[in-house]
Amino acid sequence: MAIYLNDVSRTFGEYLLIPGLTTKQCVPSNVSLRTPLVKFAKGEKSAIELNIPLVSAIMQSVSGPELAIELARNGGLSFIFGSQPIVSQAEMVRKVKKFKAGFVVSDSNLTPENTLADILSLIQKTEHSTIGITDDGTPNGKLLGMVTSRDYRVGVDSHDAKVKDLMTPFSKLTVGKLGMSLSEANQIIWDHKLNTLPIIDKDQNLCYFVFRKDYDSHKNNPHELSDNSDKKLLVGAGINTRDYKERVPALVEAGVDVLCIDSSDGYSEWQYETLHWIKENYNNQVLVGAGNVVDEEGFLYLVEAGADFVKVGIGGGSICITREQKGIGRGQATALMDVAKARDAYFEKTGFYVPICSDGGLVHDYHMVLALAMGADFLMMGRYFARFDESPTKKLRIGNNYVKEYWGEGSNRAQNWQRYDMGGSESLKFEEGVDSYVPYAGKMKDNLKLTLGKVKATMCSCGTLNIPELQNNVKITLVSSTSIVEGGAHDVILKEQS
Ligand code: IMP
């Protein structure tokens, strides 16, 4: 006979938090959101601690280098998507690792032989008005000059005028040397009253621009997640159980900080083998998470295989149709509470704490607090991040609204069949995800400020100042469907609808 689980499979919207005593210390500015990312022994600290408990989903439509840089600058971490060739994924990792706050690789470049017409069309495309003039028109070619809006007059100068006759030539530029610190660069900008300082190497090749306007924005990122020794931003990457013997070495070589095996159903011998291979071949020096699972057995299996963290969640993602297609999964809240119990028991028994990540299905900001309170150490989100400027997808206007594209890894569009691999040589025959739009929401930083403000305020209402306190002390209640209705505005005529 089948084994029946008697508990109903529930999700976040069915629970509420009961306020605890809010002491005078419980103010949002005192709340810490620091949380462990990878396994650690009792009494020790996790090798990586996130400054905010958020990571971005291993998805083409979410985690490219631009989003990874911005999320790390705000204290979280991205896992660069693995459903792409090894070389391009490694290049994306390298791009994040190379990022130096305030040092920007020039995205607008021309050669001296280009014309004013080329300048104007480039500005329209990139919306940046500082153009590096290099011998070959590339971002790292030999620097021969610079063009800014002060170098030409639209309507006066001919559109055929050559860049070489308009640009400020190299001999008149003030430049900085590769290797200088941001504060040294800012000092030169200040002393010479510059707007932009090109940074060159010993062969006069353009490496970066440092902009005066970025000086303040750098000071705005106190939670940046970077390596203590070299200050490089931290970044993760998704891998699969097929080509890991080639992919992992390339990602490690590119400087990746942590890996995650990406699969819709992680309770498999394929994941066991992959974890074993990585741990053995890298002498336990490469950190790797695994998943996804929804119960104790799945969790323990991956932990025994060497997982440094375990992802929880099957079928709850906003773009996910796995439950409809295969009838597998579990309500996210129930899955999370079950796995959290297993993690705590494992810690008690062995002295090793293996963090768990709640992946998918977080819709409202308060769901994040609920997920943390139910035992998640950190949260993975796709839809949430896909809405921002920094996600790699197109922004479109539909009717009167701006939207961004967001598609599942199991959709035909992503073609990430390894994620849904059931072994054997057959490729997948049906989709487990959809192609969709999400409402455009602007810059990540503004949204995070609001979201984390709400998270901290809720934690204060619960009388807790950090995530472990939330997990150990908070009271959670199941709500009836009638009280869910009571939770929204009701029995009034909303002004915007009248
Ligand atoms: P969201 O935050 O609710 O949008 O969920 C994102 C999560 O959905 C990801 O981190 C994946 O675990 C999962 N996911 C991504 N693509 C697919 C898909 O095509 N089908 C099912 N689940 C997916």
Side-chain angles (χ1 to χ4, degrees), residues 57 59 317-320 359-361 382-383 406 408-410 419-420 432-433:
M59 297 174 71
S318 57
I319 32 49
C320 178
D359 177 16
R383 187 197 58 84
Y406 179 45
E409 287 294 298
R419 185 170 197 271
Y420 303 90
E432 290 196 35

Side-chain angles (χ1 to χ4, degrees), residues 56-59 262-264 292 311 313 315-322 359-363 380-384 406-411 419-420 432-434:
S56 68
I58 311 169
M59 297 174 71
D262 182 32
S263 170
S264 71
N292 287 9
K311 259 185 331 120
S318 57
I319 32 49
C320 178
I321 51 170
T322 296
D359 177 16
L362 293 161
V363 179
M380 177 171 272
M381 294 185 291
R383 187 197 58 84
Y384 178 82
Y406 179 45
W407 60 93
E409 287 294 298
S411 68
R419 185 170 197 271
Y420 303 90
E432 290 196 35
V434 298

Side-chain angles (χ1 to χ4, degrees), residues 38-47 347 350-354:
V38 289
K39 182 165 78 181
F40 59 94
K42 199 172 193 162
E44 291 178 5
K45 266 176 64 172
S46 173
F347 181 51
T350 65
F352 283 101
Y353 188 90
V354 182

